[in-house]
Amino acid sequence: MSKPRTRHHMRELLLVNWLICATPPGDAGQCTPPEGSCWTRIRQLMPAAAALRELKEWSLDEPARRFDAQDWWYKLTFDASPRNFAEPAVLGFDGLATIAQVWLNGKLLLASTNMFVEHECDVSSVLKDNDNELLICFRALDAKLAMPRKRPRWRAPMVAHQQLRWFRTTLLGRTPGWSPPAAVVGPWKDIWLEQRRQFHIKDLCVEVSVDDTTGTVKCRLACEPLGGQTIDAVTLQLERCGRVDVQRLSGRVGTIFFAGQLQLGNVDLWWPHTHGEPSLYSASLRIRIAGILDETVIAIGRVGFRTITLDTANGNFSLNVNGVSIFCRGACWTPLDPVTLRACPEASQAAVAQARSAGMNMLRVAGTMVYEEHHFFDACDEQGMLVWQDLMFANMDYPGDDSEFMASVVLEVSQQLRGLQATACLALLCGNSEVEQQAAMWGAPRELWQPALFEDTLAQLCADHAPGTPYWPSSAHGGSFPHQASTGTSSYYGVGAYLRPLDDARRADVKFATECLAFANIPAAATIGRMPGGLAIRVHHPEWKARSPRDLGAGWDFDDVRDHYLGTLFHTDPQKLRYTDHDHYLTLGRMATGEVMAASFAEWRRPASPCGGAMVLFLRDLWAGAGWGLIDDSGVPKACYHYLKRALQPLTVLLSDEGVNGLFAHVINERNEDRPLELELTAWREGDVLVASGRKLLTLPARSAQSFAGVELLGQFMDLTYAYKFGPMTCDAVVLTLRDQLGNQLAQAFHFPGGLGVRSEIDIGLTARATMVDAQTAELTVHTKRFAQGVHFAVPGFHADDDYFHLPPNSEARVTLRGAGSGPLMGSVHAINSIKSARVDFAASAIGDPHREKTK
């Protein structure tokens, strides 16, 4: 829930006319930059790296610059609006990174050592009508890191400087193995001046609960009158779809404290989008002031009625929303701009929508990042996206015995939790990212694995400020050692960095993967073109490697991890393939990580799986390159995104190889309505020979899943998994198709008994025809005569809403292309098992609906 903002308060954002300069590190007593310092005007308030980027004096494509090595000064001269001197003027700082001192008209206002803490300063006695000078110095963090301090009890190898543990700042830009070298220094959130009038609301607390269909909203606040006003009444109001409910809060005349609760019958529940509608109610306060006829209405955000409980019985880990167990799947969120750490509401809405479209229902904000802004949570509330929220601690041995550090932490977490209260999407609060795991893996004694900071202090703060939200001490927690996948939560990289076979996704008995499936996912050609070196760059080039994620000190990187599975899946030597055909190597590399991710989630989503959820490491890359993201830094999905989009939908089918028990089909319906469905299983060989088929009609109840043996669907025995090996394989491809009662295709899954390493044919009969809907949209139909593997598109300036998919013989797929191009399109369609590609033929007139589902 966002902070209440009242129209009667005059708030001015101090965004423009700032000057900036960098100087050598000075001491804390220095209140002005050295004489002769060179000031530069910047377009608007932003961190130092962002300002230099905009001035074209630095970019991520240039050699790394240590922004922590200098003092950064910001100066603003401004006039104040005419004001009533009986009412306070407040200067607000929503985020200062990281060691900052602030002066107004020569007077020291504050000193801050925590980038996550907000500050408000009453400047009524200091503010002038004209020519106010606001000066901020951000001290060089490197100088502070160099000061002697107690050594940590374990090391965090991903962090370049271990004493960062003493400073409340983000690790982004300070972890050279995986984040761009752009440490955020300076004002990273808004600075504002506010003239407060009539009254000021503080200590607002809103708690939302629901019992069956009766919702309750408890509200308490302090409403402080200003300028001699008297508060007559405060009323809480909720509204949804024309229904309005109100409750006057109790409080004696003349008091500033008000409290009460509003009960609503037959409320609409908030659900993750995969399971229902994310219903929200608009909440507001109506303030009546003595002697003033009209009430003042203050919007305080939207609330949703839902229950969230955590089931950890017998080592399991699963979240229940409104009494229904939810398979949580999604990815770890990253700031959309790694240099400013901010994004506009529209960009956040679009990024959350991409995750939603892929069938994800949870995003994790990890402790290596920053606390996101309110509009991120607004987007998740609206779109039914659960949020796993880490507090901003990761891997390191934090000084929980230092009183000054702990006071800063308590203030930080209390502020953040007050901002998150009554947020419907908030599913879980987690103390840290991998602190327990790091301590254990470094060899620290067991008694150090679970610091009191996370077991006690933060747990109590979360219980006090977010009583309806489960708390979990660390992202890897619960087993005999913290990262034991079979108990509690873990960072699961068995399939992935540890190069385990694909069946380890089941063998490891994963209960909940808070992060997993990290690969150097190769982006589209246009994204590679934005890297240093452009399209001519090769995977082994230093410019490519500089952006490939890696663990510091390791002799491998995540390109190597991807190549391991490329070789396994396609029965080829990645190094030789890269040497002889780099473009084909990139294509198979894109497919390899997608195939591995889809196969892993198929294991975890099948009905018999004990897994309660999994988060892929990174929804989106931080910069152009082969990063961990499913989506590149500009928002363009990669091949692996499309694979997951097919595997994660709430109504879908999956296949699993059960060895000598045969191939099994799994049908999942997470929706809140029964579905009449048809299952069809077909087996193929030699590209277009149908060797077996079978169909089954069923009605799948709401929020249920069922499994069927492939033999049951076929009505005869066939070695679909080639487990028995009595002679040659009877088929080389198996297709499971799910249709509705009208015959429309809903989902499809594939199994290749001999693997994906098929021999290419000269021509499999691919054709492609597109119709322009408008200048930015085309509807494309692809048809194949023979089995097509890895069908993908090369249409410059446009992106397909599905890509890198398989297509059975004599079938077609309809795909929408979207882009910002204009004029005639040119492009082609490719399959990895066809030497010949298909040129896209464009029709002369627009037909059809560009938003129709793909049908095969």
Side-chain angles (χ1 to χ4, degrees):
M1 174 170 288
S2 59
K3 279 189 175 182
R5 297 285 189 239
T6 54
R7 292 181 180 176
H8 64 287
H9 287 347
M10 292 180 59
R11 172 171 293 193
E12 178 185 2
L13 293 178
L14 303 180
L15 295 180
V16 298
N17 298 321
W18 285 88
L19 300 173
I20 187 175
C21 75
T23 67
D27 58 56
Q30 180 183 355
C31 59
T32 57
E35 188 175 348
S37 297
C38 181
W39 291 94
T40 301
R41 186 171 299 278
I42 57 177
R43 181 179 59 86
Q44 69 175 43
L45 188 67
M46 62 184 73
L52 296 191
R53 179 178 64 178
E54 187 165 282
L55 292 167
K56 300 189 184 306
E57 296 180 9
W58 169 87
S59 80
L60 289 174
D61 295 337
E62 297 176 0
R65 174 169 179 169
R66 285 206 60 81
F67 291 93
D68 286 332
Q70 295 173 288
D71 286 352
W72 291 90
W73 294 81
Y74 285 72
K75 182 170 68 174
L76 173 68
T77 301
F78 66 97
D79 297 334
S81 302
R83 57 195 176 97
N84 180 354
F85 286 90
E87 295 172 323
V90 176
L91 197 57
F93 305 86
D94 290 343
L96 302 173
T98 294
I99 311 297
Q101 293 172 287
V102 181
W103 298 267
L104 178 62
N105 297 329
K107 179 181 179 180
L108 180 65
L109 290 184
L110 67 92
S112 177
T113 59
N114 189 328
M115 72 173 286
F116 305 122
V117 167
E118 299 176 353
H119 301 274
E120 293 186 1
C121 303
D122 189 330
V123 295
S124 304
S125 62
V126 185
L127 192 67
K128 302 185 298 184
D129 290 339
N130 305 105
D131 296 326
N132 293 281
E133 183 182 79
L134 181 59
L135 188 66
I136 310 175
C137 180
F138 297 89
R139 299 296 181 184
L141 188 58
D142 281 356
K144 304 295 183 182
L145 290 171
M147 296 173 61
R149 295 180 185 270
K150 185 170 60 176
R151 296 182 64 182
R153 295 167 294 181
W154 64 84
R155 291 181 62 83
M158 75 170 182
V159 181
H161 202 299
Q162 299 302 304
Q163 298 298 19
L164 273 170
R165 66 198 184 100
W166 288 88
F167 299 94
R168 298 302 302 137
T169 194
T170 182
L171 294 185
L172 283 171
R174 301 180 174 100
T175 49
W178 57 266
S179 66
V184 173
V185 180
W188 72 287
K189 287 189 175 181
D190 292 339
I191 297 176
W192 45 268
L193 177 65
E194 183 173 272
Q195 174 71 56
R196 291 182 173 163
R197 297 181 172 181
Q198 297 182 337
F199 62 87
H200 174 57
I201 291 176
K202 58 183 181 180
D203 300 328
L204 173 66
C205 179
V206 178
E207 296 179 11
V208 180
S209 61
V210 63
D211 183 5
D212 194 16
T213 60
T214 300
T216 301
V217 180
K218 295 181 180 179
C219 180
R220 64 179 184 273
L221 67 144
C223 188
E224 181 182 8
L226 303 173
Q229 304 286 356
T230 300
I231 308 300
D232 269 356
V234 178
T235 301
L236 174 65
Q237 175 175 301
L238 260 65
E239 183 176 0
R240 172 176 164 80
C241 299
R243 171 184 173 178
V244 179
D245 295 87
V246 298
Q247 176 64 53
R248 181 168 173 169
L249 305 183
S250 61
R252 297 189 306 274
V253 175
T255 187
I256 68 169
F257 300 105
F258 296 84
Q261 69 177 36
L262 173 60
Q263 283 197 329
L264 300 80
N266 299 315
V267 296
D268 297 323
L269 297 179
W270 186 95
W271 290 93
H273 76 94
T274 48
H275 289 69
E277 181 183 358
S279 301
L280 293 170
Y281 289 74
S282 297
S284 59
L285 295 171
R286 291 164 30 193
I287 314 294
R288 182 174 295 279
I289 301 172
I292 298 179
L293 181 62
D294 294 330
E295 293 180 319
T296 300
V297 179
I298 304 170
I300 59 174
R302 288 175 295 178
V303 300
F305 294 98
R306 88 289 183 267
T307 61
I308 294 185
T309 57
L310 178 60
D311 179 7
T312 58
N314 302 316
N316 291 315
F317 189 98
S318 64
L319 284 168
N320 299 295
V321 178
N322 302 326
V324 175
S325 180
I326 306 294
F327 181 82
C328 301
R329 68 277 193 172
C332 296
W333 177 267
T334 55
L336 301 185
D337 181 353
V339 179
T340 65
L341 305 183
R342 303 191 74 182
C344 65
E346 295 76 17
S348 292
Q349 283 278 0
V352 173
Q354 278 189 304
R356 187 183 193 276
S357 178
M360 300 178 190
N361 58 17
M362 176 176 273
L363 294 170
R364 176 187 168 211
V365 181
T368 50
M369 303 293 159
V370 293
Y371 300 103
E372 280 296 326
E373 297 182 84
H374 292 297
H375 52 249
F376 165 76
F377 293 96
D378 290 342
C380 292
D381 274 350
E382 293 171 16
Q383 299 189 43
M385 185 68 63
L386 296 166
V387 176
W388 173 302
Q389 176 68 59
D390 284 5
L391 303 177
M392 291 301 117
F393 302 87
N395 295 76
M396 296 184 289
D397 178 20
Y398 292 94
D401 57 351
D402 183 86
S403 59
E404 184 178 346
F405 177 86
M406 289 300 295
S408 179
V409 165
V410 170
L411 177 60
E412 165 198 328
V413 174
S414 298
Q415 283 188 355
Q416 296 299 328
L417 293 178
R418 281 197 292 269
L420 292 175
Q421 62 182 324
T423 301
C425 63
L426 184 62
L428 184 140
L429 291 163
C430 182
N432 65 71
S433 174
E434 293 188 338
V435 167
E436 289 185 32
Q437 172 176 318
Q438 191 65 69
M441 295 186 81
W442 192 255
R446 179 179 291 271
E447 61 267 20
L448 300 183
W449 294 357
Q450 298 177 351
L453 169 60
F454 308 110
E455 294 290 325
D456 302 324
T457 306
L458 297 185
Q460 188 60 54
L461 281 172
C462 290
D464 293 341
H465 293 284
T469 303
Y471 175 80
W472 194 245
S474 187
S475 62
H477 173 82
S480 57
F481 53 91
H483 43 293
Q484 180 180 340
S486 59
T487 305
T489 58
S490 63
S491 300
Y492 172 72
Y493 294 117
V495 175
Y498 307 144
L499 308 184
R500 300 286 295 168
L502 295 187
D503 65 4
D504 191 74
R506 181 184 300 192
R507 183 183 297 274
D509 198 24
V510 178
K511 294 303 191 297
F512 197 105
T514 52
E515 54 189 72
C516 62
L517 300 173
F519 304 95
N521 296 309
I522 300 171
T527 307
I528 295 174
R530 291 192 288 109
M531 295 176 65
L535 290 173
I537 195 171
R538 294 296 181 258
V539 170
H540 64 280
H541 193 279
E543 295 281 13
W544 179 290
K545 288 300 183 183
R547 300 189 178 193
S548 293
R550 65 192 184 280
D551 287 338
L552 295 184
W556 54 272
D557 61 22
F558 284 84
D559 283 324
D560 299 320
V561 176
R562 179 195 64 241
D563 285 357
H564 169 79
Y565 290 98
L566 187 162
T568 300
L569 292 173
F570 292 99
H571 307 304
T572 188
D573 183 334
Q575 184 174 358
K576 289 183 178 178
L577 181 61
R578 190 182 73 206
Y579 184 86
T580 58
D581 191 343
H582 192 265
D583 287 343
H584 191 55
Y585 161 81
L586 293 179
T587 297
L588 296 191
R590 294 182 181 105
M591 289 183 61
T593 62
E595 292 281 350
V596 172
M597 290 182 186
S600 298
F601 273 96
E603 286 287 357
W604 296 331
R605 291 196 72 191
R606 61 190 173 81
S609 170
C611 184
M615 304 291 114
V616 177
L617 186 62
F618 284 18
L619 176 67
R620 184 162 165 157
D621 282 343
L622 293 165
W623 53 351
W628 285 326
L630 304 170
I631 300 167
D632 79 6
D633 63 308
S634 68
V636 177
K638 303 181 188 179
C640 50
Y641 170 91
H642 294 291
Y643 272 92
L644 284 181
K645 184 177 180 180
R646 297 186 285 268
L648 299 184
Q649 294 302 317
L651 181 63
T652 195
V653 288
L654 308 166
L655 285 167
S656 66
D657 183 342
E658 303 297 329
V660 296
N661 293 320
L663 191 67
F664 269 67
H666 311 286
V667 194
I668 299 172
N669 176 24
E670 294 176 329
R671 298 298 194 193
N672 59 350
E673 58 186 8
D674 299 349
R675 291 298 299 263
L677 301 167
E678 178 192 72
L679 270 182
E680 181 185 37
L681 191 72
T682 56
W684 303 85
R685 72 169 181 239
E686 299 173 6
D688 60 359
V689 178
L690 180 65
V691 296
S693 66
R695 298 175 184 242
K696 182 179 181 65
L697 298 176
L698 70 152
T699 297
L700 193 59
R703 296 171 183 153
S704 70
Q706 295 180 18
S707 298
F708 304 94
V711 170
E712 178 184 350
L713 298 177
L714 293 180
Q716 66 182 84
F717 175 77
M718 181 173 287
D719 189 8
L720 297 175
T721 60
Y722 198 48
Y724 293 91
K725 296 182 174 59
F726 295 148
M729 280 189 291
T730 54
C731 63
D732 48 40
V734 182
V735 184
L736 177 66
T737 304
L738 182 69
R739 298 186 179 92
D740 64 18
Q741 57 187 341
L742 299 178
N744 298 310
Q745 181 180 306
L746 301 172
Q748 209 162 46
F750 297 82
H751 176 71
F752 301 97
L756 290 164
V758 297
R759 180 176 298 177
S760 293
E761 304 177 34
I762 294 176
D763 187 359
I764 61 173
L766 270 180
T767 59
R769 184 171 178 82
T771 300
M772 294 302 300
V773 177
D774 55 43
Q776 288 78 40
T777 313
E779 192 172 82
L780 188 149
T781 301
V782 183
H783 183 273
T784 186
K785 293 181 180 178
R786 296 169 62 78
F787 208 106
Q789 284 185 294
V791 176
H792 55 283
F793 305 94
V795 183
F798 284 75
H799 308 291
D801 66 354
D802 197 6
D803 213 350
Y804 290 91
F805 54 83
H806 308 308
L807 201 54
N810 297 308
S811 65
E812 67 179 32
R814 183 165 292 161
V815 178
T816 300
L817 300 176
R818 294 185 175 88
S822 60
L825 274 74
M826 298 179 62
S828 54
V829 181
H830 306 259
I832 64 167
N833 61 327
S834 179
I835 296 173
K836 182 179 179 181
S837 60
R839 182 173 63 88
V840 178
D841 294 322
F842 289 93
S845 61
I847 60 172
D849 177 0
H851 302 292
R852 280 186 292 183
E853 286 188 346
K854 181 185 72 179
T855 57
K856 295 181 182 176

